[in-house]
Every structure is written in C-alpha cells, then in structure tokens.
C-alpha cells in the first residue's frame, strides 16, 4: 500500500524537529518494551541502518549502539552501512514481523543495498522481537491508551490487509 | 505423515508450533548448523525454553548440527551435541560421520537423524549409517525421483524424511563447493551458502544486479521476480546464450505428490526455511498442515498462494519429477 499524497503532504511542511521528536518518542517506547531488541545484532550493533520509505519525503537513520533514531528530509540522507527502501506500510510491517522480508524482496517491493550481513542481522532481530506498534504507542497515551490502541490496531489492520494478503 | 517445520528464531519456533507442526527443527547460533546466518538461531537458554514450549503442545524438537567438523575444533560440535541432548532434543540431525560416532558412543539413547547434508542417497549408504550409528531416520537429498525413493524405501529399515517445500538445493548436498569457490565459505564447513558478508545487491538503471564476491550472479530486469544470490541459480553467458546453467531461481514444491510420497514410504515431510521470517513460517506451516490432510483435489487451491512466498515467485517439483531440459 502506497500512502496517498494527501496523507504525506503535511510531512513536507511540518518542522523536521517536530517530526523527529515524535519519532524518537515512539522509538524510545519500542526500545523500552523490547530491551533485547538489538541483542541479536552482535558485531553489527555499531552499524548505521537507513530506512527510506518510498512514499514519504523522509528517511530514518537508526544507530543501535547508541539507541538513536534520526529523521532526515530527502534527498539529504546521511550515509549508512545498510539501507532498506520500500513503502512506509511495508517497512512498518517488516518492523513488526507481519510479513516475510525475503518474499517482499523477491517481489522487488523492497530494495536492500549496502551491508547485507548487517541488514540480515537486524531483520532477524526485529522478527524475533514481536514488536506491536499499536500496543507500544498506546502505552505512551496515558488514560487514552485503550482508545489509542484500538484506533492504531484498526489502522494497522486496514493498512496491512492488502500487504498481508499479497505476501503472507 | 509428520510435518517437520523450520525455525530460525524463538518467535518463528512458536509460530511453527502454533500453526500445526509435528516437529520443529532449529540450530545453535554458531557454525555447527547449515543456516549460520547473522542474527539467526538459538542460544542454549532459548533452545531450552523452545523445547519446553514444544513439549507443552506435544510437538517434537529436532536440533540440526549438520555441518562438518574442522580438525582441531571438534569440541564446538561435540558441545553442541552434548547440549542438545542435555536440553531434551527429541532428535539430533547430523551429517558428519565422526559426529555421528561421537553421538552414538556418548549418547546411545539419543535419537539420531541423518541430515540431508550427509548426502545418503543409496541403500548401501543409508544401511551403513543405520547399522553403524543407529540412525533412526534419513533425510534424503533432493536429487531422487519418487520411484527412486520407493526403491530405496524397500531396501532400508529406517524412516524416510524428504523436503517438500522451500529453498531448493540442486547440487549434491554436503558436497557442493560452489559457494566456497566464490567466497571461501560453504554450507558444509561454515553453515553458509552465499554468505551475506559477500553478497551485494545494486541498482543498475532499471536492473537489479546481484553479486557474490567478485562474481555477478544475475541481472533482474524491471518487473522480474528476484532470487537468492546463489551460484547454482545464477544467469550466465554460455557460448552465444544467456541463461540459467543449473537451475532457475525457483523454490521446491512437491505437495501435489503427497500421496505418491506416502505410497513410496516417506513418513515425514520437511519444509525448508530456517532463514525465513516468522510470517513465512506461520503461513507455510498452516497451509501445509491443511494440505496434508486435504483431498488431492483441494490441494492446488490451498497451495497456490504459497508461490508468492517462494524464491523467484516460482516453484518446481525438482528432481522428484525429473524432466531434463
């Protein structure tokens, strides 16, 4: 599923520090809920991983060794050891292990460049962690947690219905 | 017939159990198993937890220790066997005769399966392993036809397991040196075929180029499904033609032949894919579970959706139904 322009347009004008702040809050929450997320990386923990949603004007850089994520506007993406590119929904589905990375790679829906060993290690680490973004985001929402979780789960179900049916 | 399912991580292991596996096979996080990929496989503690989970669901756990020992480094493999036995593995899957001897001597009660990597493909080879090391089951190489399997089954006394779905090795397994030739590492000695450390994918115009070490393996035009960067499925220039010299980038699927395999004497069907994600494991195992008990007429519809998960998004019956090009 490619995000429609109307959904991504606000990201073109929203201040980058604001987007990055929100992203870091979610990232911190995921790390807190899955403290062993990067254990499987081994020697690849100090590599830099870029995730580039093809339907967003942004790219994300993850540095596991310092538990940091940064957001960058295209085309000014920093260098990375390994890079994964695909639609935003596809990348989120891979983050949660909802779809099989090899299958979407075979289909050419996903592009991986750079250090394959590092990216493979990260893929396997993510796959084993059972990340549940609606649940993780809901935990940040205080008294609105049940509401946020229901809404986020519904959005995920709708977004993934196409992807999961295609690849799983 | 038993359904033997892959797991590269504890999460995939639980998916396989929940989806209906009779047994799950997995390996330790080192070069003692033939899927020694970064971020994959089990620590001792993870295996202990996985075996307990499987037992609660009446599912067996097989531990693959199916690479060949290096002289002077045997302890790594011996420890793997000792730990698998100690943790309660229902079977160890071995390829190295020396390791089989060690296991038979030290752990005579441990159930021993002959790995596909042992390349035991004829009655004499299988009988030797059964009589010498007490092997209870042989996983046959993917180079035999179904009539070959039926003939073999009549001559041996152990159980037979065959691969029915997933990645397809077209070479003599446990003997193939193609990956070693290109990278210095092989599935036999290091547990890696086309190790990720030597793999590069790059875009060249509209083409996706896959490279292994210093070799270009393939160039996929826009819109063409991609495959793994293995030499046996590379596209090469030969004489005046460009094409696949050994095999296309395809996966194995012989689920159409379940009944014939059963009649041939096969007792266990194995799914390849310890390197795949838990979503793959969940989907493939649940579909295969239904397919095994379904009528033959219902299987094609069940299995058709699995093609999208396959390498090159195409499947083949491989040598089971040999049709040389």
């Amino acid at each position: 599923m490619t995000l429609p322009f109307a959904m991504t347009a606000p990201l073109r004008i929203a201040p980058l520090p604001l987007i990055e702040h929100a992203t870091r809050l979610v990232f911190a929450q995921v790390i807190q809920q899955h403290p062993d997320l990067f254990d499987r990386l081994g020697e690849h923990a100090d590599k830099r991983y870029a995730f580039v949603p093809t339907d967003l004007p942004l790219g994300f850089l993850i540095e596991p060794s310092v538990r940091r994520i940064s957001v960058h506007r295209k085309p000014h993406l920093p260098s990375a050891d390994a890079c994964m590119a695909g639609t935003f929904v596809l990348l989120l589905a891979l983050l949660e292990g909802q779809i099989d990375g090899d299958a979407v790679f075979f289909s050419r829906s996903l592009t991986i460049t750079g250090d394959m060993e590092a990216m493979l290690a990260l893929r396997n680490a993510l796959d084993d962690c059972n990340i549940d973004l609606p649940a993780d985001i809901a935990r940040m929402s205080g008294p609105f947690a049940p509401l946020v979780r229901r809404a986020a789960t519904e959005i995920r179900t709708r977004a993934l219905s196409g992807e999961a049916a295609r690849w799983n | 017939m038993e359904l033997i399912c892959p797991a590269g991580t504890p999460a995939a292991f639980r998916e396989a159990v929940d989806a209906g596996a009779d047994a799950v096979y997995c390996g330790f996080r080192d070069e003692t198993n033939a899927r020694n990929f970064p971020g994959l496989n089990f620590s001792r503690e993870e295996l202990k937890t996985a075996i307990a989970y499987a037992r609660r669901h009446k599912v067996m756990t097989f531990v693959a220790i199916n690479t060949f020992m290096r002289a002077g480094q045997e302890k790594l493999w011996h420890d793997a066997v000792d730990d698998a036995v100690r943790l309660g593995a229902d079977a160890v899957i071995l390829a190295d005769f020396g390791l089989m001897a060690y296991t038979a001597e030290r752990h005579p009660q441990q159930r021993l399966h002959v790995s596909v990597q042992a390349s035991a493909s004829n009655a004499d080879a299988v009988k030797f392993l059964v009589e010498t090391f007490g092997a209870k089951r042989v996983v046959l190489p993917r180079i035999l036809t179904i009539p070959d399997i039926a003939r073999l089954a009549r001559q041996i006394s152990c159980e037979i397991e065959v691969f029915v779905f997933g990645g397809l090795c077209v070479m003599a397994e446990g003997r193939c040196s193609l990956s070693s030739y290109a990278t210095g590492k092989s599935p036999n000695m290091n547990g890696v075929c086309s190790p990720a450390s030597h793999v590069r994918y790059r875009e060249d115009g509209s083409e996706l180029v896959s490279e292994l070490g210093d070799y270009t393996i393939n160039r996929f035009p826009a819109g063409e499904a991609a495959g793994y960067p293995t030499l046996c499925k590379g596209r090469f220039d030969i004489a005046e033609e460009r094409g696949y010299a050994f095999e296309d980038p395809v996966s194995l699927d012989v689920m159409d032949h379940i009944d014939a395999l059963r009649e041939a004497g096969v007792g266990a069907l194995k799914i390849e894919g310890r390197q795949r994600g838990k979503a793959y494991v969940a989907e493939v195992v649940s579909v295969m579970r239904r397919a095994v008990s379904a009528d033959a007429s219902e299987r094609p519809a069940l299995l058709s959706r699995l093609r999208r998960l396959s390498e090159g998004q195409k499947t083949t019956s491989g040598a089971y139904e040999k049709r040389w090009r």
Side-chain angles (χ1 to χ4, degrees), chain A residues 40 97-100 102-103 105-108 111-114 116-117 121 123-124 127-128 130 166-168, chain B residues 10-11 14 29 38-39 41 46 199 203 220-221 224-226 228 275-278 283 305 308-310 313:
Chain A
R40 284 181 172 270
Q98 301 269 356
I99 56 175
D100 178 65
D102 286 14
F105 179 76
F106 296 147
S107 75
R108 309 281 296 272
T111 305
I112 300 172
T113 50
M116 293 296 291
E117 197 171 35
R123 193 284 300 262
N124 290 329
D127 203 68
D128 190 45
N130 295 321
R166 284 168 69 194
W167 310 122
N168 289 342
Chain B
R14 290 189 294 274
R29 205 179 299 171
N41 296 316
E46 287 169 343
V199 171
E203 304 278 347
F220 300 99
E224 184 178 302
Y228 288 123
Q275 76 283 11
R276 303 294 293 264
K278 64 187 177 201
E283 176 73 5
R305 58 185 278 114
R308 284 187 177 279
L309 296 169
S310 301
Q313 299 193 315

Side-chain angles (χ1 to χ4, degrees), chain B:
Chain B
M1 295 167 99
E2 287 179 13
L3 197 55
I4 316 299
C5 306
T9 61
F13 190 103
R14 290 189 294 274
E15 293 285 357
V17 170
D18 296 347
D22 292 305
V24 184
Y25 68 103
C26 55
F28 289 124
R29 205 179 299 171
D30 55 35
E31 58 195 307
T32 61
N33 83 91
R35 285 285 182 269
N36 179 27
F37 295 168
L40 209 63
N41 296 316
F42 290 65
S43 67
R44 267 52 173 176
E45 193 58 34
E46 287 169 343
L47 181 64
K48 181 183 173 185
T49 305
I51 289 174
Y53 184 81
R55 288 225 168 120
R56 284 200 297 277
H57 294 80
K58 300 188 183 340
V59 172
M60 295 177 288
T61 304
F62 300 164
V63 179
I65 309 169
N66 59 344
T67 48
F68 294 86
M69 296 190 288
R70 276 196 314 281
Q73 301 290 321
E74 296 90 343
K75 187 173 187 306
L76 182 64
W77 281 263
H78 291 170
D79 286 350
V81 167
D82 294 342
D83 290 342
V85 174
R86 176 175 57 82
L87 295 169
D90 293 286
V92 288
I93 309 171
L94 309 180
D96 186 312
F97 291 3
L99 195 59
M100 291 186 201
Y102 175 87
T103 305
E105 288 163 15
R106 297 292 182 94
H107 308 288
Q109 302 306 315
Q110 178 63 43
R111 188 176 172 84
L112 191 160
H113 291 183
V114 178
S115 168
V116 69
Q117 282 285 98
S119 205
S121 54
N122 59 60
D124 287 341
V126 176
K127 282 177 183 172
F128 171 77
L129 298 172
V130 170
E131 291 166 7
T132 311
F133 307 121
K136 297 288 190 292
R137 178 180 297 187
V138 60
V139 184
L140 293 179
R142 286 160 275 195
I143 55 171
L144 301 175
T145 64
I146 295 175
D148 287 339
I149 294 170
R151 275 190 293 275
L152 180 63
R154 288 194 289 272
Q155 300 173 66
I156 62 176
S157 58
C158 71
E159 301 162 0
I160 292 178
E161 178 176 314
V162 297
F163 280 94
V164 290
F165 191 86
L168 173 63
C169 252
V170 293
M171 300 303 178
E173 294 175 72
R175 310 283 185 270
C176 177
S177 294
L178 279 175
S179 175
S180 185
Y181 174 75
T183 70
K185 292 186 173 180
S186 74
N188 316 322
M189 304 303 291
N190 311 98
V192 281
C193 179
S194 299
S197 55
H198 291 67
V199 171
R200 288 287 180 276
Y201 285 97
R202 61 181 175 84
E203 304 278 347
D204 185 6
S206 62
E207 291 185 323
L208 176 68
V209 181
S210 62
E211 298 168 334
L212 179 66
D214 295 332
Y215 300 88
T216 298
I217 301 296
N218 214 331
R219 303 177 75 92
F220 300 99
E224 184 178 302
Y228 288 123
T230 51
L231 276 165
C232 60
K233 294 175 186 171
R235 186 153 38 187
F236 302 107
D237 291 334
I238 303 165
E240 302 298 315
E241 293 188 21
R242 174 170 294 185
Y244 293 102
F246 306 109
E247 179 59 281
D248 295 27
V250 293
S251 280
L252 181 69
D253 178 5
V254 284
M255 291 300 284
D256 281 348
H257 303 284
I258 292 175
D259 297 329
L261 289 167
R262 185 185 286 119
E263 287 165 18
V266 171
L269 307 174
K270 188 165 204 163
I271 300 168
E272 186 276 347
R274 282 192 284 143
Q275 76 283 11
R276 303 294 293 264
K278 64 187 177 201
Y280 172 92
V281 171
E283 176 73 5
V284 174
V285 175
S286 62
V287 169
M288 301 290 257
R289 180 79 275 163
R290 294 201 296 274
V292 167
S293 51
D295 288 339
S297 60
E298 297 169 352
R299 284 185 198 130
L302 279 171
L303 298 166
S304 61
R305 58 185 278 114
L306 296 185
R307 196 161 296 130
R308 284 187 177 279
L309 296 169
S310 301
E311 180 179 10
Q313 299 193 315
K314 288 185 288 189
T315 56
T316 174
S317 53
Y320 292 104
E321 193 182 28
K322 199 172 281 178
R323 281 177 292 190
W324 297 110
R325 68 179 95 192

